[in-house]
Amino acid sequence: MNESISNHKIYLGAGPAALPSTVLQEASEAIIEFQNSGLSILEIPHRGSLFQNILDEAKILVRDLCNLTDEYDVLWLPGGGRMQFCMIPMNFLGDDETAGYIDSGHWAHEAMKYGSHFGKTLSVCSSKNVDYSALPAIPTSLPNHLAYLHLTTNNTIYGTQWHSLPPQKSTMIADMSSDLFGLPRSFSNFDLFYAVAQKNLGAAGVTLVVAKKEMLAKTKRILPPMLCYAAHAQKQSVLNTPPVYAIYISWLMLKWTKLQSLSVLHEENLKKAALLYNELERNNLFYPLVANKTDRSIMNVCFRTKDDNIATEFSDFCFHHNIVGIKGHRRVGGFRASLYNATPLQNVQTLVAAMQEFERKYS
Ligand SMILES: *Cc1c(COP(=O)(O)O)cnc(C)c1O
């Protein structure tokens, strides 16, 4: 699926994440010249036809991969995940209204905190009391009149993931930053979903926002255009000079994703995750951080050494085996291997083989 570029390390970082070598190759060539235009991809005008084609094709690919009609708009916005944490309540939460948040991890919690700047927020359920080591139980009945319900499909830092999503109960908004296209979803259950590009969808600098056109039009405040979804929709992602290169990389990733197909990627992701979790269960030196199997993420696998004293040795051991990017997030510590779409099975096999060798050496 992904032949490696020579000297390239086995990179399992959580974000910016690994990219397929074919994408890296094509992108590197486009820096010199894009599509026989005599221009670098870094030079093409953002309102010209070359870039317009990228935007048009990307939109078709997103709708196609998500099985959505043109009832949904596709926007590419700057500012990362946190900008969406702001823009969502700014646009859709009135001063006197309440928005529900499913508090399943750090990013989910941050989104809720940003929301409270603009209206009332309600933590519908939370697993903060167990340090987000499991998913919270979603209550069967929700309060009426929520402006929207926000959830995070994959908790990147803690390694938990919603494998099936709650039924649509109100206006549904999802942060899909770290598992978009890692598995098939019922995307049409959402009124708006978004994903930063630097996990499963390309390079840092841009966030994909997919939303019902009808929703984007219903802004609760008068906002400056840069912070207003309706204005971005009206200008179709070229309100200002957009991050052309980051959008270009996402377009390459969308084409690559389509070529693999979501079902094949999902199957591969299940295989990669099973391989690593099985090793974590078997190996005497390690354990997986998420105990409940149904809550485990297939994208971010968090684990620790049973003996804290050998954690540094394991880090060094991996480094000498060319495996990098597995340090856990500073909030959690330990290790985290991110198995996004662009990570080939072979790289997970290499990590597992290293864990086995480490076990022989240190048991
Ligand atoms: C990485 C990540 C973010 C943060 O994105 P930034 O672009 O750094 O603001 C938000 N949500 C989730 C689920 C993430 O994985």
Side-chain angles (χ1 to χ4, degrees):
M1 185 200 281
N2 191 13
E3 278 186 40
S4 61
I5 292 174
S6 66
N7 274 341
H8 208 81
K9 291 199 163 70
I10 291 172
Y11 177 58
L12 300 169
L19 289 164
S21 52
T22 50
V23 166
L24 293 178
Q25 197 66 50
E26 190 170 344
S28 71
E29 285 158 18
I31 295 242
I32 304 299
E33 185 181 11
F34 177 62
Q35 289 186 347
N36 302 315
S37 62
L39 294 175
S40 162
I41 185 71
L42 303 177
E43 297 170 328
I44 64 164
H46 61 285
R47 297 185 200 280
S49 62
L50 288 170
F51 185 59
Q52 194 55 52
N53 289 342
I54 292 176
L55 286 175
D56 292 346
E57 282 187 28
K59 179 181 287 190
I60 291 167
L61 283 162
V62 168
R63 283 195 192 126
D64 181 32
L65 286 164
C66 298
N67 229 336
L68 296 172
T69 62
D70 64 3
E71 201 192 343
Y72 282 79
D73 218 337
V74 174
L75 302 177
W76 300 94
L77 302 183
R82 287 169 180 82
M83 184 59 97
Q84 296 313 305
F85 298 170
C86 297
M87 283 180 68
I88 289 162
M90 246 184 223
N91 283 263
F92 305 124
L93 180 59
D95 293 323
D96 300 325
E97 292 180 333
T98 302
Y101 283 79
I102 292 177
D103 181 22
S104 57
H106 172 69
W107 296 121
H109 194 80
E110 281 295 296
M112 181 166 69
K113 283 203 306 205
Y114 278 64
S116 64
H117 288 272
F118 304 98
K120 300 187 191 76
T121 56
L122 174 74
S123 166
V124 163
C125 54
S126 174
S127 51
K128 197 172 196 293
N129 60 334
V130 292
D131 292 329
Y132 301 118
S133 59
L135 291 173
I138 299 178
T140 43
S141 76
L142 288 175
N144 289 330
H145 312 307
L146 289 180
Y148 57 79
L149 178 65
H150 181 280
L151 77 105
T152 308
T153 52
N154 182 70
N155 300 288
T156 327
I157 294 177
Y158 302 91
T160 62
Q161 181 177 29
W162 299 99
H163 295 282
S164 60
L165 294 174
Q168 183 160 20
K169 292 185 172 174
S170 68
T171 298
M172 298 279 279
I173 297 184
D175 177 355
M176 299 194 183
S177 289
S178 53
D179 71 357
L180 182 75
F181 304 144
L183 71 176
R185 294 266 191 211
S186 302
F187 293 99
S188 60
N189 281 0
F190 293 89
D191 298 276
L192 181 152
F193 56 92
Y194 59 101
V196 301
Q198 69 266 25
K199 313 284 167 68
N200 242 349
L201 195 60
V206 74
T207 301
L208 170 66
V209 177
V210 183
K212 284 190 177 150
K213 288 176 180 169
E214 170 196 290
M215 166 136 185
L216 293 180
K218 279 191 275 182
T219 306
K220 298 272 166 74
R221 290 185 177 76
I222 295 171
L223 294 166
M226 269 308 275
L227 299 171
C228 178
Y229 287 112
H232 281 289
Q234 199 204 347
K235 298 287 185 190
Q236 286 296 292
S237 305
V238 283
L239 178 63
N240 71 328
T241 314
V244 169
Y245 192 66
I247 295 171
Y248 160 76
I249 302 281
S250 285
W251 170 65
L252 295 183
M253 276 305 288
L254 288 166
K255 290 198 288 181
W256 179 88
T257 303
K258 171 93 192 285
L259 198 66
Q260 317 295 318
S261 94
L262 282 198
S263 57
V264 168
L265 287 169
H266 184 214
E267 236 172 78
E268 283 283 302
N269 290 335
L270 288 171
K271 248 191 251 171
K272 291 183 281 182
L275 181 67
L276 184 50
Y277 281 118
N278 288 342
E279 179 61 17
L280 290 167
E281 302 275 2
R282 187 210 62 77
N283 195 308
N284 284 318
L285 300 183
F286 300 93
Y287 67 97
L289 277 192
V290 178
N292 189 348
K293 290 186 181 171
T294 53
D295 291 354
R296 285 178 182 167
S297 171
I298 60 171
M299 302 270 92
N300 308 98
V301 179
C302 295
F303 60 99
R304 278 178 181 278
T305 51
K306 286 178 187 165
D307 176 359
D308 280 342
N309 294 318
I310 61 168
T312 310
E313 273 91 341
F314 182 63
S315 273
D316 295 344
F317 189 83
C318 284
F319 188 79
H320 290 298
H321 284 70
N322 245 355
I323 301 167
V324 298
I326 58 164
K327 192 170 185 283
H329 191 276
R330 61 190 183 280
R331 290 175 176 274
V332 176
F335 298 92
R336 170 176 55 176
S338 296
L339 317 180
Y340 299 123
N341 286 350
T343 300
L345 177 64
Q346 196 195 330
N347 287 6
V348 187
Q349 288 165 337
T350 306
L351 173 64
V352 165
M355 293 168 88
Q356 292 170 352
E357 196 186 326
F358 188 73
E359 185 187 32
R360 286 194 291 275
K361 233 171 142 175
Y362 283 88
S363 276

